[in-house]
């Protein structure tokens, strides 16, 4: 094999989009959405020597024109106004801001536009061939709507990025969302678009925000059959979660054949997460990126953009989960055993709860669930129902071909 010359710029496996500016997306000191998790993750990866300044790319800020790819110009103006004034919050509530979930904070527009710009930076790196993969952990704000904020999300970086991928690169995009909450904002943005496929695995909306994400939400018009939802029962555990993820992802990508994968990597399906009721352990966060990585190379010439998302146990769960994602993107084998001592020592005083000192969770992590078999079976039936239409289409296609 020819050795590449020193002058030739070598294509990197992955870039890590980050700057301290991303920490400015902060609602309050007590709000569950806490970007300290970015600091903790970056520090953990640095301690592992798995992240150097050569890997890090600063996010650019999304322009108003780019934001308006997925948002109403009027809504963007409202967000800007809210960022400046200490205005009566009631004026803004019909736009979903100034609410309990999504309070107004200083420089809200700038901070939100910078998270979107991070995902656009990731897109350009991958689509211009500068790196195979790109990670923007500050992104993943999947609840943002065209004209309204929702669920801690002001602008929807993934929706903007997908429109941008279509417009600038003419790409066919597969979006896969493993956050414990339904990826509603992204789904509705592309509900009638046959060139964008959205997949969301989440805790059923029966008792959890945002309440949508039923298997019957399959898309509309020309986009019918390109929206997929896998609502899992509360208390769903690793094996059942992963069976759904692997089966759905493989069957859908094989039928849809995208040019690029955009994965949303919310880390709130873990047993410890305070806002949800799924019973995942660190095992799912080791396995989720493995398959995304494999399929990106199998179907998309490696093109894989990953963003963050939810994740509200910022001490015990998110830094480990998101580190495993970055390691996978770089083909670094997941570490075994203990977390770096220096990292644990540095943060133990500040953490309000004791750390799990190992990469994987202790087994068992919780008392056995009496309804395990019932939940697994219910999820299996849900999986089959959610894929039924796709399987019928496939067997029809196969029939036509033979
Ligand atoms: Zn979530």
């Amino acid at each position: 094999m020819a050795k590449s010359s020193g002058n030739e710029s070598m294509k990197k496996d992955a870039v890590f989009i980050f700057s301290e500016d991303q920490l400015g997306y902060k609602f309050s000191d007590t709000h569950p959405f806490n970007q300290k998790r970015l600091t903790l993750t970056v520090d953990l990866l640095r301690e592992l020597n798995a992240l150097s300044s050569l890997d890090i790319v600063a996010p650019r800020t999304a322009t108003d024109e780019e934001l308006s790819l997925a948002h109403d110009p009027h809504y963007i103006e409202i967000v800007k106004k809210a960022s400046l004034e200490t205005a009566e919050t009631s004026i803004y509530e019909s736009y979903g801001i100034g609410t309990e979930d999504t309070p107004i904070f200083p420089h809200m527009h700038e901070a939100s536009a910078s998270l979107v710009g991070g995902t656009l930076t990731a897109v350009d790196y991958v689509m211009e061939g500068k790196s195979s993969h790109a990670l923007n952990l500050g992104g993943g704000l999947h609840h943002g709507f065209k004209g309204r904020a929702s669920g801690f999300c002001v602008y929807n970086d993934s929706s903007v990025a997908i429109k941008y991928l279509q417009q600038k690169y003419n790409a066919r995009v597969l979006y896969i969302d493993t956050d414990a909450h339904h990826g509603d904002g992204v789904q509705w943005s592309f509900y009638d678009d046959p060139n964008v496929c959205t997949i969301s695995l989440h805790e059923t909306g029966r008792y959890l925000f945002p309440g949508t994400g039923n298997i019957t939400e399959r898309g509309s018009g020309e986009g019918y059959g390109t929206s997929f939802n896998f609502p899992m029962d509360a208390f769903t555990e690793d094996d059942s979660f992963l069976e759904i993820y692997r089966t759905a992802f493989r069957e859908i990508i094989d039928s849809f054949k995208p040019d690029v994968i955009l994965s949303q990597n919310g880390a709130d399906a873990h047993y410890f997460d305070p806002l949800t009721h799924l019973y995942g352990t660190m095992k799912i966060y080791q396995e989720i990126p493995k398959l995304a990585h494999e399929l990106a190379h199998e179907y998309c010439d490696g093109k894989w953009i990953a963003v963050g998302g939810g994740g509200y146990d910022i001490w015990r769960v998110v830094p480990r989960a998101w580190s495993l994602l970055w390691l996978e993107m770089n083909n670094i084998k997941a570490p075994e055993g203990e977390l770096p001592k220096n990292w644990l020592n540095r943060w133990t005083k500040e953490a309000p709860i004791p750390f799990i000192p190992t990469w994987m969770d202790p087994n068992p992590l919780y008392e056995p669930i009496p309804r395990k078999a019932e939940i697994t079976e219910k999820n299996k039936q849900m999986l089959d129902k959610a894929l039924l239409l796709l399987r019928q289409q496939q067997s029809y296609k196969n029939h036509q071909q033979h």
Side-chain angles (χ1 to χ4, degrees):
M1 200 198 277
K3 208 174 161 219
S4 71
S5 83
N7 298 332
E8 204 176 299
S9 68
M10 282 234 303
K11 185 166 175 174
K12 290 171 78 73
D13 277 338
V15 287
F16 190 100
I17 314 294
F18 178 72
S19 82
E20 300 273 330
D21 291 350
Q22 293 184 322
L23 310 178
Y25 192 83
K26 182 177 175 173
F27 296 103
S28 73
D29 284 336
T30 52
H31 195 283
F33 189 97
N34 185 345
Q35 294 291 50
K36 176 127 213 170
R37 58 207 183 133
L38 295 179
T39 307
L40 292 164
T41 304
V42 167
D43 193 47
L44 180 53
L45 286 168
R46 282 194 182 278
E47 197 58 58
L48 271 183
N49 288 320
L51 182 67
S52 83
S53 22
L54 294 174
D55 302 317
I56 298 179
V57 173
R60 64 181 176 85
T61 291
T63 63
D64 289 3
E65 197 188 336
E66 286 164 344
L67 293 173
S68 65
L69 288 170
H71 294 286
D72 291 331
H74 177 65
Y75 170 63
I76 299 169
E77 289 311 312
I78 290 287
V79 175
K80 280 186 181 171
K81 230 178 137 197
S83 312
L84 296 174
E85 299 167 2
T86 39
E88 256 316 303
T89 53
S90 60
I91 303 167
Y92 298 106
E93 271 174 23
S94 58
Y95 299 95
I97 49 180
T99 58
E100 197 185 327
D101 266 6
T102 318
I104 294 168
F105 61 91
H107 308 294
M108 184 180 219
H109 167 77
E110 288 76 10
S112 309
S114 148
L115 297 189
V116 177
T119 304
L120 297 180
T121 305
V123 166
D124 284 333
Y125 260 77
V126 168
M127 298 309 284
E128 286 169 9
K130 288 193 251 175
S131 66
S132 294
H133 321 310
L135 175 61
N136 178 33
L137 290 172
L141 303 182
H142 61 170
H143 299 306
F145 287 93
K146 201 171 195 302
R148 182 164 61 86
S150 173
F152 318 157
C153 305
V154 179
Y155 298 135
N156 192 321
D157 59 293
S158 294
S159 288
V160 174
I162 294 170
K163 292 274 188 194
Y164 182 78
L165 275 162
Q166 293 188 299
Q167 201 177 73
K168 187 168 175 192
Y169 299 104
N170 197 24
R172 194 171 158 84
V173 187
L174 184 141
Y175 170 84
I176 181 153
D177 182 322
T178 46
D179 191 286
H181 300 91
H182 177 223
D184 56 350
V186 185
Q187 171 178 298
W188 302 128
S189 290
F190 302 99
Y191 207 53
D192 57 359
D193 188 335
N195 297 311
V196 178
C197 176
T198 61
I199 308 173
S200 181
L201 272 78
H202 45 266
E203 179 182 335
T204 164
R206 273 200 303 277
Y207 309 106
L208 188 71
F209 177 90
T212 48
N214 196 286
I215 55 173
T216 54
E217 293 161 29
R218 298 181 193 278
S220 67
E222 282 185 48
Y224 185 71
T226 58
S227 164
F228 294 90
N229 285 290
F230 301 91
M232 296 172 280
D233 252 35
F235 315 118
T236 292
E237 297 175 274
D238 290 347
D239 292 348
S240 182
F241 184 109
L242 289 171
E243 183 190 7
I244 295 162
Y245 173 72
R246 289 179 180 135
T247 307
F249 201 171
R250 276 192 188 285
E251 287 192 29
I252 295 167
I253 198 169
D254 191 60
S255 142
F256 186 74
K257 303 218 165 37
D259 299 315
V260 54
I261 294 172
L262 172 57
S263 71
Q264 195 271 16
N265 295 271
D268 50 2
H270 193 280
Y271 170 71
F272 285 148
D273 194 274
L275 299 192
T276 71
H277 318 94
L278 295 177
Y279 271 31
T281 74
M282 210 43 65
K283 185 178 166 188
I284 62 172
Y285 296 112
Q286 189 172 31
E287 297 299 322
I288 287 169
K290 256 191 213 166
L291 184 61
H293 195 186
E294 185 188 323
L295 296 178
H297 284 286
E298 203 176 322
Y299 290 91
C300 306
D301 199 21
K303 291 194 219 44
W304 174 27
I305 298 142
V307 293
Y312 308 100
D313 190 319
I314 68 155
W315 303 98
R316 295 178 297 181
V317 176
V318 184
R320 289 188 297 160
W322 284 357
S323 292
L324 292 174
L325 169 60
W326 173 248
L327 295 175
E328 176 60 43
M329 292 186 119
N330 288 278
N331 294 305
I332 302 171
K333 202 176 161 288
E336 284 168 33
E338 307 258 314
L339 297 178
K341 281 271 173 302
N342 287 342
W343 186 83
L344 287 168
N345 291 339
R346 194 146 52 238
W347 298 104
T348 291
K349 245 188 261 159
E350 203 179 318
I353 30 167
F355 279 107
I356 299 285
T358 48
W359 281 97
M360 289 296 119
D361 289 316
N363 187 15
L365 183 61
Y366 48 79
E367 293 288 303
I369 300 167
R371 288 176 53 238
K372 185 186 181 102
E374 187 193 320
I375 291 166
T376 303
E377 183 51 35
K378 241 179 117 182
N379 281 341
K380 242 192 216 16
Q381 288 176 14
M382 175 277 292
L383 173 65
D384 285 337
K385 261 194 231 164
L387 288 175
L388 183 65
L389 179 68
L390 180 77
R391 286 170 178 170
Q392 282 170 343
Q393 286 167 341
Q394 285 300 106
S395 84
Y396 179 74
K397 254 193 229 164
N398 294 340
H399 188 75
Q400 296 285 88
Q401 279 161 4
H402 295 161

